[in-house]
Amino acid sequence: MAKYVFVTGGVLSSVGKGVSVASLGRILKSRAFTVGAQKLDPYLNAEPGIMSPAQHGELFLTKDGAAADLDLGHYERFIGVELSRFSSVSAGQVYRTLLEKERRGDYLGGTIQVVPQLTDEIKRLIRRGADANEADIAIVEVGGTVGDIEGQPFLEAIRQMRNEEGRDNVLYVHVTFLPYIGATHELKTKPTQHSVNELRRIGIQPDVILCRSDFPVSDSIRDKISLFCDVDKDAVVALETSETIYEVPLVLEEAGLGDFICNRLGLAAAPPDLEGWRSMVSRLKQPRDPVHIGIVGEHVQLQDAYYSVREALVHAALVHDCEPAFHWVDSKVLAAGDCAQLRNVQGIVIPGSSHYKSIDGLIVAARYARNNRIPFLGIDTGMHAMIVEYARSIPGLEDAHSSEFQPSAAHAVVDRTPNGDTTGLRQGTIPCRMVAGTKAGSAFEAGLSYERHRHSHELNAHYRAQLRNAGLMPSGVSADDQFVDIVEVRDHEWMVGCQFHAEFKSRPDLPHPLFVAFVDAAQRTLVEGAQPSLPIT
């Protein structure tokens, strides 16, 4: 039977619950436990896959092709697990399930209430998530902030679970923020006290309080929080903003939180093994030479819209002992003809998204990379822009386009995916076979890779031979050779597009091969006005 750790947030949103859950998972996994993670989101959207990244940040893609909250990316990268759709639950999904049951007559015409019907469904989904992950310890994050009206049924559900699962099988962690008052130069604990009081009013007494702060938290402040919130001082942990988020597990371990949780849950744990993680963090904190990477997209004002791409580049750069310097380039500016922001980059990445209104700016970026021989990586829609640009420029298909953006295109070189599922998507983890002698083939140690897909359009098979003959090579294909999953420009130093979302499989201690190869090519590219360093004899 799984043990449960429930994580709530207080004072304000974006306080760092996702990284906290991921970090807890890392230190518990280091003790040889199987750790699962799940996100409960109180928003009423039933389909996270159609939520705008401009409002919500990126949509993370699970191994079975489900679009979910970006916090699942934190869980996977830190804990080293592959999660499924069962690790993502929204209030909209819960309410929809209740209404479907009611229409089927499952309630026999009885009254449907928040308690017990709604809370019972939430608890069922929590247990389903733990079972799906085969977890010894299931860490469950409740999205939003304590006090939000839409989050109350979720808090009531996790309150009930302590009684049902047994008090020794459930532990509550509350993540709060300590605001700093500049006029008096002090951190204030009162918002944390109010937040914990609200939790206690609901019936939840936190066992652990993680205190997020941009400034050092003194022992006297921890004593005060321990006293007024009725929490052991050892369980009041200061989480000062770190130089890198990957340092947080080490901070929690140093504070003794791993042993505290194991003792509270009655777990016999192996000694923690974090040496590899510690070494990786030490390398991340060392100064390294920059490699200038342009990330082109429609939502660059909210950089969280491309969070996993950014992190995948950080992971890959560590392999080459360099550090990415990001240049966020608005595709709408490129579409207007201004390419000035691309002049000083050593590599260009176009992330995928189902929310692009136009790919005109993406096509400009692909053309710039090809003409100026800048290393290029296009993901999903970025690959589509690369194909369209190449088809227009080399074989001379001037009207080439993607039918996703121009349904009446004379040459739909990117068209709707044949044989998609009932939603019209090709989704989930699908094997990709590498073609020998290509750049993509060289990037992967194995000839076969299992990659995550979620898309409705791809390279039109009718143009495959024509584009190959013109120099756009299929370098990764499906196992049956029906679909092209990777393309590359034959006469370019490194210009590759992939249909799948490589960024979601990258880990800080196991970067994705395509990103590693891309950064390798980028760091060897001289920017405008730069000169190579000369050896001193």
Side-chain angles (χ1 to χ4, degrees):
M1 184 176 70
K3 306 275 188 174
Y4 292 91
V5 176
F6 293 107
V7 181
T8 57
V11 180
L12 46 79
S13 60
S14 301
V15 73
K17 295 194 304 299
V19 172
S20 298
V21 167
S23 300
L24 287 171
R26 185 76 219 182
I27 63 175
L28 292 172
K29 183 181 179 181
S30 75
R31 289 165 164 78
F33 293 114
T34 300
V35 179
Q38 187 180 44
K39 177 72 180 287
L40 308 179
D41 270 311
Y43 52 69
L44 297 180
N45 301 69
E47 298 293 344
I50 60 176
M51 293 177 65
S52 171
Q55 296 181 25
H56 199 68
E58 80 171 7
L59 296 171
F60 186 81
L61 197 62
T62 61
K63 65 180 180 181
D64 51 357
D69 186 86
L70 64 80
D71 279 335
L72 269 71
H74 292 313
Y75 308 161
E76 288 207 4
R77 283 186 287 271
F78 280 66
I79 304 174
V81 294
E82 285 198 301
L83 302 176
S84 70
R85 64 182 69 246
F86 299 134
S87 288
S88 177
V89 175
S90 74
Q93 294 169 341
V94 177
Y95 286 120
R96 182 172 63 184
T97 300
L98 286 184
L99 293 175
E100 288 172 350
K101 287 184 176 180
E102 190 266 343
R103 290 192 173 194
R104 289 198 307 264
D106 291 8
Y107 298 115
L108 301 176
T111 302
I112 304 172
Q113 297 176 287
V114 172
V115 180
Q117 283 82 10
L118 181 60
T119 52
D120 283 350
E121 179 62 19
I122 293 171
K123 290 183 292 184
R124 183 187 74 82
L125 294 175
I126 291 172
R127 293 183 175 109
R128 183 187 70 175
D131 292 340
N133 291 317
E134 300 180 350
D136 298 322
I137 306 172
I139 309 178
V140 182
E141 175 187 351
V142 181
T145 306
V146 171
D148 294 344
I149 189 170
E150 62 267 28
Q152 291 180 8
F154 290 91
L155 295 176
E156 171 60 21
I158 69 171
R159 182 199 68 79
Q160 294 175 15
M161 284 196 68
R162 171 165 269 183
N163 290 329
E164 295 175 7
E165 297 293 324
R167 303 189 70 80
D168 294 334
N169 297 319
V170 172
L171 183 137
Y172 299 111
V173 177
H174 193 50
V175 185
T176 72
F177 184 74
L178 302 181
Y180 180 79
I181 306 301
T184 57
H185 306 288
E186 61 179 340
L187 292 170
K188 304 301 290 186
T189 67
K190 189 62 70 176
T192 294
Q193 295 176 46
H194 284 307
S195 182
V196 172
N197 283 340
E198 179 67 14
L199 263 182
R200 295 170 76 175
R201 184 190 64 79
I202 295 168
I204 296 173
Q205 168 62 48
D207 300 287
V208 176
I209 297 179
L210 302 183
C211 302
R212 281 279 295 107
S213 171
D214 293 327
F215 298 88
V217 179
S218 66
D219 284 345
S220 63
I221 288 178
R222 291 176 56 235
D223 285 337
K224 188 174 182 180
I225 293 172
S226 171
L227 174 64
F228 284 99
C229 298
D230 195 21
V231 174
D232 292 349
K233 183 180 176 181
D234 290 343
V236 179
V237 178
L239 266 185
E240 187 180 342
T241 301
S242 301
E243 189 175 334
T244 168
I245 60 171
Y246 299 112
E247 191 175 8
V248 176
L250 304 180
V251 174
L252 297 183
E253 180 61 35
E254 188 176 340
L257 190 56
D259 289 340
F260 180 89
I261 291 175
C262 290
N263 290 335
R264 276 295 180 92
L265 293 177
L267 293 166
D273 180 10
L274 287 167
E275 288 311 306
W277 194 268
R278 200 180 308 276
S279 174
M280 180 267 294
V281 170
S282 177
R283 293 180 60 211
L284 277 173
K285 293 172 68 174
Q286 294 298 318
R288 290 162 285 145
D289 291 335
V291 55
H292 294 269
I293 306 296
I295 298 182
V296 179
E298 250 180 42
H299 309 297
V300 292
Q301 291 79 13
L302 180 64
Q303 295 174 11
D304 277 3
Y306 308 111
Y307 196 100
S308 290
V309 168
R310 183 180 70 191
E311 291 304 297
L313 289 165
V314 171
H315 307 159
L318 192 60
V319 174
H320 301 292
D321 202 28
C322 59
E323 182 175 8
F326 296 112
H327 301 250
W328 299 93
V329 183
D330 191 332
S331 61
K332 296 186 288 294
V333 173
L334 296 180
D338 183 1
C339 293
Q341 290 178 277
L342 296 177
R343 287 177 186 160
N344 293 311
V345 302
Q346 296 168 269
I348 296 173
V349 179
I350 301 180
S353 173
S354 60
H355 292 271
Y356 285 114
K357 296 182 177 64
S358 167
I359 60 170
D360 291 345
L362 310 185
I363 292 170
V364 171
R367 181 178 298 117
Y368 186 93
R370 186 176 57 80
N371 289 339
N372 293 277
R373 312 195 75 79
I374 304 295
F376 174 93
L377 176 60
I379 302 170
D380 191 13
T381 313
M383 170 180 164
H384 299 169
M386 172 184 167
I387 293 170
V388 170
E389 190 284 322
Y390 198 90
R392 290 179 182 179
S393 301
I394 306 303
L397 303 176
E398 295 181 0
D399 295 328
H401 217 299
S402 166
S403 64
E404 181 177 6
F405 298 93
Q406 188 173 317
S408 60
H411 297 289
V413 292
V414 175
D415 204 0
R416 185 164 289 280
T417 299
N419 305 324
D421 65 12
T422 56
T423 65
L425 297 173
R426 184 169 171 237
Q427 63 179 338
T429 300
I430 301 173
C432 175
R433 178 172 56 83
M434 305 303 154
V435 177
T438 63
K439 294 179 177 65
S442 299
F444 290 83
E445 292 183 1
L448 195 67
S449 182
Y450 291 83
E451 302 290 345
R452 299 183 187 186
H453 291 250
R454 184 183 174 91
H455 55 88
S456 59
H457 290 73
E458 58 185 74
L459 173 65
N460 188 337
H462 295 298
Y463 293 91
R464 180 172 170 177
Q466 184 177 1
L467 291 172
R468 182 184 63 240
N469 293 336
L472 188 66
M473 309 299 296
S475 52
V477 296
S478 60
D480 59 4
D481 200 39
Q482 182 179 359
F483 303 102
V484 175
D485 290 334
I486 309 178
V487 295
E488 60 186 57
V489 177
R490 180 174 54 204
D491 299 324
H492 193 282
E493 282 77 0
W494 209 93
M495 190 166 189
V496 175
C498 62
Q499 183 61 74
F500 48 82
H501 287 270
E503 70 272 27
F504 296 136
K505 287 192 66 178
S506 183
R507 308 285 183 265
D509 48 357
L510 189 64
H512 194 280
L514 277 184
F515 281 92
V516 173
F518 166 75
V519 171
D520 180 46
Q523 72 168 353
R524 291 185 281 106
T525 301
L526 294 178
V527 297
E528 187 174 308
Q531 292 183 351
S533 57
L534 298 176
I536 299 175
T537 59

PDB file of all heavy atoms in Angstrom, residues 329-350:
ATOM      1  N   VAL A 329      13.083  35.399 -29.260  1.00  0.00           N
ATOM      2  CA  VAL A 329      12.768  36.108 -30.500  1.00  0.00           C
ATOM      3  C   VAL A 329      11.290  35.917 -30.840  1.00  0.00           C
ATOM      4  O   VAL A 329      10.825  34.782 -31.038  1.00  0.00           O
ATOM      5  CB  VAL A 329      13.652  35.598 -31.655  1.00  0.00           C
ATOM      6  CG1 VAL A 329      13.360  36.391 -32.931  1.00  0.00           C
ATOM      7  CG2 VAL A 329      15.136  35.688 -31.282  1.00  0.00           C
ATOM      8  N   ASP A 330      10.562  37.025 -30.919  1.00  0.00           N
ATOM      9  CA  ASP A 330       9.143  36.989 -31.247  1.00  0.00           C
ATOM     10  C   ASP A 330       8.977  36.718 -32.739  1.00  0.00           C
ATOM     11  O   ASP A 330       9.468  37.479 -33.583  1.00  0.00           O
ATOM     12  CB  ASP A 330       8.503  38.330 -30.872  1.00  0.00           C
ATOM     13  CG  ASP A 330       6.982  38.294 -30.934  1.00  0.00           C
ATOM     14  OD1 ASP A 330       6.432  37.498 -31.726  1.00  0.00           O
ATOM     15  OD2 ASP A 330       6.347  39.088 -30.215  1.00  0.00           O
ATOM     16  N   SER A 331       8.284  35.651 -33.082  1.00  0.00           N
ATOM     17  CA  SER A 331       8.120  35.288 -34.493  1.00  0.00           C
ATOM     18  C   SER A 331       7.346  36.337 -35.268  1.00  0.00           C
ATOM     19  O   SER A 331       7.522  36.481 -36.481  1.00  0.00           O
ATOM     20  CB  SER A 331       7.429  33.926 -34.609  1.00  0.00           C
ATOM     21  OG  SER A 331       6.144  33.950 -34.018  1.00  0.00           O
ATOM     22  N   LYS A 332       6.511  37.099 -34.572  1.00  0.00           N
ATOM     23  CA  LYS A 332       5.747  38.154 -35.267  1.00  0.00           C
ATOM     24  C   LYS A 332       6.675  39.266 -35.743  1.00  0.00           C
ATOM     25  O   LYS A 332       6.440  39.876 -36.786  1.00  0.00           O
ATOM     26  CB  LYS A 332       4.657  38.711 -34.337  1.00  0.00           C
ATOM     27  CG  LYS A 332       3.596  37.683 -33.946  1.00  0.00           C
ATOM     28  CD  LYS A 332       2.474  38.293 -33.147  1.00  0.00           C
ATOM     29  CE  LYS A 332       2.916  38.662 -31.737  1.00  0.00           C
ATOM     30  NZ  LYS A 332       3.249  37.469 -30.931  1.00  0.00           N
ATOM     31  N   VAL A 333       7.747  39.519 -34.997  1.00  0.00           N
ATOM     32  CA  VAL A 333       8.733  40.516 -35.413  1.00  0.00           C
ATOM     33  C   VAL A 333       9.475  40.030 -36.660  1.00  0.00           C
ATOM     34  O   VAL A 333       9.726  40.790 -37.596  1.00  0.00           O
ATOM     35  CB  VAL A 333       9.729  40.802 -34.267  1.00  0.00           C
ATOM     36  CG1 VAL A 333      10.858  41.711 -34.739  1.00  0.00           C
ATOM     37  CG2 VAL A 333       9.004  41.417 -33.071  1.00  0.00           C
ATOM     38  N   LEU A 334       9.807  38.741 -36.699  1.00  0.00           N
ATOM     39  CA  LEU A 334      10.470  38.184 -37.867  1.00  0.00           C
ATOM     40  C   LEU A 334       9.557  38.240 -39.090  1.00  0.00           C
ATOM     41  O   LEU A 334      10.011  38.527 -40.206  1.00  0.00           O
ATOM     42  CB  LEU A 334      10.888  36.737 -37.604  1.00  0.00           C
ATOM     43  CG  LEU A 334      11.921  36.500 -36.502  1.00  0.00           C
ATOM     44  CD1 LEU A 334      12.225  35.004 -36.382  1.00  0.00           C
ATOM     45  CD2 LEU A 334      13.195  37.270 -36.770  1.00  0.00           C
ATOM     46  N   ALA A 335       8.275  37.969 -38.877  1.00  0.00           N
ATOM     47  CA  ALA A 335       7.329  37.992 -39.993  1.00  0.00           C
ATOM     48  C   ALA A 335       7.233  39.377 -40.620  1.00  0.00           C
ATOM     49  O   ALA A 335       6.959  39.518 -41.814  1.00  0.00           O
ATOM     50  CB  ALA A 335       5.951  37.531 -39.521  1.00  0.00           C
ATOM     51  N   ALA A 336       7.506  40.401 -39.790  1.00  0.00           N
ATOM     52  CA  ALA A 336       7.486  41.777 -40.296  1.00  0.00           C
ATOM     53  C   ALA A 336       8.767  42.140 -41.029  1.00  0.00           C
ATOM     54  O   ALA A 336       8.909  43.257 -41.539  1.00  0.00           O
ATOM     55  CB  ALA A 336       7.238  42.749 -39.145  1.00  0.00           C
ATOM     56  N   GLY A 337       9.729  41.219 -41.053  1.00  0.00           N
ATOM     57  CA  GLY A 337      10.949  41.435 -41.831  1.00  0.00           C
ATOM     58  C   GLY A 337      12.169  41.856 -41.035  1.00  0.00           C
ATOM     59  O   GLY A 337      13.211  42.155 -41.619  1.00  0.00           O
ATOM     60  N   ASP A 338      12.074  41.889 -39.713  1.00  0.00           N
ATOM     61  CA  ASP A 338      13.200  42.331 -38.887  1.00  0.00           C
ATOM     62  C   ASP A 338      13.919  41.117 -38.307  1.00  0.00           C
ATOM     63  O   ASP A 338      13.434  40.471 -37.381  1.00  0.00           O
ATOM     64  CB  ASP A 338      12.682  43.233 -37.769  1.00  0.00           C
ATOM     65  CG  ASP A 338      13.812  43.799 -36.904  1.00  0.00           C
ATOM     66  OD1 ASP A 338      14.989  43.505 -37.198  1.00  0.00           O
ATOM     67  OD2 ASP A 338      13.510  44.525 -35.934  1.00  0.00           O
ATOM     68  N   CYS A 339      15.092  40.820 -38.846  1.00  0.00           N
ATOM     69  CA  CYS A 339      15.876  39.658 -38.388  1.00  0.00           C
ATOM     70  C   CYS A 339      17.068  40.060 -37.533  1.00  0.00           C
ATOM     71  O   CYS A 339      17.987  39.242 -37.313  1.00  0.00           O
ATOM     72  CB  CYS A 339      16.361  38.859 -39.600  1.00  0.00           C
ATOM     73  SG  CYS A 339      15.038  38.066 -40.532  1.00  0.00           S
ATOM     74  N   ALA A 340      17.078  41.293 -37.042  1.00  0.00           N
ATOM     75  CA  ALA A 340      18.239  41.793 -36.302  1.00  0.00           C
ATOM     76  C   ALA A 340      18.565  40.926 -35.089  1.00  0.00           C
ATOM     77  O   ALA A 340      19.736  40.730 -34.744  1.00  0.00           O
ATOM     78  CB  ALA A 340      17.994  43.237 -35.871  1.00  0.00           C
ATOM     79  N   GLN A 341      17.537  40.364 -34.430  1.00  0.00           N
ATOM     80  CA  GLN A 341      17.766  39.583 -33.222  1.00  0.00           C
ATOM     81  C   GLN A 341      18.467  38.246 -33.498  1.00  0.00           C
ATOM     82  O   GLN A 341      18.955  37.605 -32.567  1.00  0.00           O
ATOM     83  CB  GLN A 341      16.442  39.320 -32.508  1.00  0.00           C
ATOM     84  CG  GLN A 341      15.827  40.558 -31.864  1.00  0.00           C
ATOM     85  CD  GLN A 341      14.494  40.241 -31.223  1.00  0.00           C
ATOM     86  OE1 GLN A 341      13.459  40.211 -31.892  1.00  0.00           O
ATOM     87  NE2 GLN A 341      14.518  40.002 -29.931  1.00  0.00           N
ATOM     88  N   LEU A 342      18.505  37.835 -34.749  1.00  0.00           N
ATOM     89  CA  LEU A 342      19.128  36.559 -35.082  1.00  0.00           C
ATOM     90  C   LEU A 342      20.596  36.693 -35.467  1.00  0.00           C
ATOM     91  O   LEU A 342      21.284  35.696 -35.667  1.00  0.00           O
ATOM     92  CB  LEU A 342      18.368  35.891 -36.236  1.00  0.00           C
ATOM     93  CG  LEU A 342      16.913  35.484 -35.956  1.00  0.00           C
ATOM     94  CD1 LEU A 342      16.283  34.905 -37.214  1.00  0.00           C
ATOM     95  CD2 LEU A 342      16.835  34.481 -34.812  1.00  0.00           C
ATOM     96  N   ARG A 343      21.084  37.925 -35.572  1.00  0.00           N
ATOM     97  CA  ARG A 343      22.425  38.130 -36.113  1.00  0.00           C
ATOM     98  C   ARG A 343      23.536  37.654 -35.189  1.00  0.00           C
ATOM     99  O   ARG A 343      24.634  37.355 -35.639  1.00  0.00           O
ATOM    100  CB  ARG A 343      22.626  39.611 -36.444  1.00  0.00           C
ATOM    101  CG  ARG A 343      21.843  40.045 -37.677  1.00  0.00           C
ATOM    102  CD  ARG A 343      21.984  41.522 -37.949  1.00  0.00           C
ATOM    103  NE  ARG A 343      21.110  41.932 -39.050  1.00  0.00           N
ATOM    104  CZ  ARG A 343      20.721  43.180 -39.264  1.00  0.00           C
ATOM    105  NH1 ARG A 343      21.120  44.140 -38.447  1.00  0.00           N
ATOM    106  NH2 ARG A 343      19.932  43.468 -40.280  1.00  0.00           N
ATOM    107  N   ASN A 344      23.282  37.600 -33.908  1.00  0.00           N
ATOM    108  CA  ASN A 344      24.343  37.251 -32.964  1.00  0.00           C
ATOM    109  C   ASN A 344      24.092  35.923 -32.249  1.00  0.00           C
ATOM    110  O   ASN A 344      24.612  35.698 -31.159  1.00  0.00           O
ATOM    111  CB  ASN A 344      24.533  38.363 -31.937  1.00  0.00           C
ATOM    112  CG  ASN A 344      25.080  39.631 -32.564  1.00  0.00           C
ATOM    113  OD1 ASN A 344      26.058  39.592 -33.306  1.00  0.00           O
ATOM    114  ND2 ASN A 344      24.437  40.752 -32.290  1.00  0.00           N
ATOM    115  N   VAL A 345      23.281  35.056 -32.871  1.00  0.00           N
ATOM    116  CA  VAL A 345      23.039  33.751 -32.255  1.00  0.00           C
ATOM    117  C   VAL A 345      23.874  32.690 -32.953  1.00  0.00           C
ATOM    118  O   VAL A 345      24.204  32.804 -34.137  1.00  0.00           O
ATOM    119  CB  VAL A 345      21.542  33.365 -32.289  1.00  0.00           C
ATOM    120  CG1 VAL A 345      20.705  34.415 -31.578  1.00  0.00           C
ATOM    121  CG2 VAL A 345      21.050  33.156 -33.720  1.00  0.00           C
ATOM    122  N   GLN A 346      24.238  31.666 -32.193  1.00  0.00           N
ATOM    123  CA  GLN A 346      25.017  30.554 -32.735  1.00  0.00           C
ATOM    124  C   GLN A 346      24.145  29.352 -33.075  1.00  0.00           C
ATOM    125  O   GLN A 346      24.629  28.386 -33.675  1.00  0.00           O
ATOM    126  CB  GLN A 346      26.090  30.144 -31.725  1.00  0.00           C
ATOM    127  CG  GLN A 346      27.118  31.221 -31.447  1.00  0.00           C
ATOM    128  CD  GLN A 346      27.976  30.889 -30.242  1.00  0.00           C
ATOM    129  OE1 GLN A 346      27.636  31.266 -29.117  1.00  0.00           O
ATOM    130  NE2 GLN A 346      29.063  30.166 -30.457  1.00  0.00           N
ATOM    131  N   GLY A 347      22.901  29.410 -32.682  1.00  0.00           N
ATOM    132  CA  GLY A 347      21.965  28.340 -32.992  1.00  0.00           C
ATOM    133  C   GLY A 347      20.550  28.852 -32.853  1.00  0.00           C
ATOM    134  O   GLY A 347      20.282  29.792 -32.095  1.00  0.00           O
ATOM    135  N   ILE A 348      19.619  28.256 -33.599  1.00  0.00           N
ATOM    136  CA  ILE A 348      18.216  28.675 -33.588  1.00  0.00           C
ATOM    137  C   ILE A 348      17.346  27.462 -33.302  1.00  0.00           C
ATOM    138  O   ILE A 348      17.509  26.405 -33.925  1.00  0.00           O
ATOM    139  CB  ILE A 348      17.815  29.304 -34.940  1.00  0.00           C
ATOM    140  CG1 ILE A 348      18.603  30.597 -35.190  1.00  0.00           C
ATOM    141  CG2 ILE A 348      16.305  29.586 -34.986  1.00  0.00           C
ATOM    142  CD1 ILE A 348      18.396  31.186 -36.579  1.00  0.00           C
ATOM    143  N   VAL A 349      16.430  27.614 -32.348  1.00  0.00           N
ATOM    144  CA  VAL A 349      15.470  26.562 -32.009  1.00  0.00           C
ATOM    145  C   VAL A 349      14.060  27.110 -32.203  1.00  0.00           C
ATOM    146  O   VAL A 349      13.757  28.216 -31.745  1.00  0.00           O
ATOM    147  CB  VAL A 349      15.635  26.080 -30.552  1.00  0.00           C
ATOM    148  CG1 VAL A 349      14.600  25.012 -30.227  1.00  0.00           C
ATOM    149  CG2 VAL A 349      17.038  25.542 -30.324  1.00  0.00           C
ATOM    150  N   ILE A 350      13.212  26.347 -32.872  1.00  0.00           N
ATOM    151  CA  ILE A 350      11.788  26.681 -32.971  1.00  0.00           C
ATOM    152  C   ILE A 350      11.014  25.578 -32.265  1.00  0.00           C
ATOM    153  O   ILE A 350      10.934  24.454 -32.759  1.00  0.00           O
ATOM    154  CB  ILE A 350      11.309  26.805 -34.426  1.00  0.00           C
ATOM    155  CG1 ILE A 350      12.101  27.876 -35.168  1.00  0.00           C
ATOM    156  CG2 ILE A 350       9.819  27.133 -34.455  1.00  0.00           C
ATOM    157  CD1 ILE A 350      11.673  28.057 -36.626  1.00  0.00           C
TER     158      ILE A 350
END
